[in-house]
């Protein structure tokens, strides 16, 4: 896979949503948005954008819309944003964003580590040519989520059950 990101390269940061039944972004989606915004390179080239992906899995407003609203209102993000607001599963997230990835030089997928790994594996299954453009996002920082790590690890094991052994270790 590609290493690093150079100046003038377009980067697409894909932020995957999490069930969100309330009318504002929940704790997990707010964290994912912050991780997505910090994953944008300062010298991003033309075409660099953030895609918020997720439908109304918990009912109400689509996760993508809630995350975009949070990015703009709370984080004052004024960069390019695209919404994919139909998907209800990780497979659908990837399927539905593929047309939005075609012109990206680099692709970053943001979520909790196991969920992002699953999404990258799904991109490899659906479009190996696009998966070659994957690079690491800034969605992991030592000490972040420290108290919740054991629960997130158990949840991650559950998420990864559907992946082949070789897909469980692949990373950008």
């Amino acid at each position: 896979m590609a290493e690093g990101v150079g100046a003038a390269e377009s980067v697409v940061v894909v932020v995957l949503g999490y069930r969100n039944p309330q009318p504002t972004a929940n704790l997990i989606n707010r964290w994912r948005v912050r991780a997505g915004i910090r994953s944008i390179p300062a010298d991003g080239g033309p075409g660099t954008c953030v895609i918020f992906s997720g439908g109304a899995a918990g009912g109400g407003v689509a996760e993508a819309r809630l995350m975009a609203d949070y990015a703009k209102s709370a984080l004052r993000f004024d960069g390019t944003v695209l919404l994919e607001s139909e998907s209800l599963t990780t497979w659908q997230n990837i399927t539905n964003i593929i047309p939005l990835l075609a012109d990206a030089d680099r692709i970053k997928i943001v979520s909790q580590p196991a969920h992002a790994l699953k999404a990258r594996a799904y991109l490899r299954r659906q479009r190996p040519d696009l998966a070659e453009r994957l690079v690491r996002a800034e969605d992991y920082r030592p000490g972040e989520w420290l108290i919740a790590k054991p629960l997130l690890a158990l949840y991650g094991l559950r998420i990864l059950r559907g992946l082949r052994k070789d897909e469980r270790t692949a990373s950008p």
Side-chain angles (χ1 to χ4, degrees), residues 7-75:
E9 288 186 315
S10 65
V11 177
V12 173
V13 177
V14 178
V15 181
L16 302 175
Y18 179 77
R19 274 178 234 100
N20 203 127
Q22 65 245 39
T24 59
N26 62 27
L27 176 70
I28 293 173
N29 283 329
R30 289 193 311 264
W31 175 84
R32 289 180 183 185
V33 171
R34 288 191 307 274
I37 300 304
R38 72 180 179 226
S39 295
I40 300 168
D43 59 351
T48 295
C49 70
V50 177
I51 299 171
F52 293 109
S53 180
V61 181
E63 298 156 5
R65 168 55 53 205
L66 295 174
M67 292 187 296
D69 289 348
Y70 176 74
K72 290 180 182 187
S73 65
L75 303 180

Side-chain angles (χ1 to χ4, degrees), residues 65-140:
R65 168 55 53 205
L66 295 174
M67 292 187 296
D69 289 348
Y70 176 74
K72 290 180 182 187
S73 65
L75 303 180
R76 305 287 183 244
F77 179 68
D78 63 355
T80 303
V81 170
L82 300 174
L83 300 182
E84 182 290 300
S85 58
E86 299 299 317
S87 58
L88 301 177
T89 66
T90 306
W91 183 266
Q92 290 174 357
N93 286 130
I94 298 305
T95 300
N96 294 340
I97 64 165
I98 283 174
L100 306 174
L101 303 176
D103 295 329
D105 294 312
R106 300 288 177 252
I107 301 166
K108 298 179 178 188
I109 298 178
V110 175
S111 188
Q112 272 71 22
H115 188 228
L117 178 64
K118 181 178 183 178
R120 290 190 300 266
Y122 285 174
L123 183 60
R124 282 185 192 90
R125 287 183 191 178
Q126 293 182 41
R127 287 290 302 273
D129 59 315
L130 291 176
E132 291 176 7
R133 303 179 199 173
L134 285 167
V135 294
R136 189 167 303 281
E138 299 295 324
D139 55 0
Y140 175 78

Side-chain angles (χ1 to χ4, degrees), residues 135-158:
V135 294
R136 189 167 303 281
E138 299 295 324
D139 55 0
Y140 175 78
R141 285 187 174 170
E144 203 169 46
W145 290 94
L146 193 60
I147 295 171
K149 287 267 186 194
L151 292 174
L152 290 171
L154 288 173
Y155 182 67
L157 290 173
R158 182 174 164 257

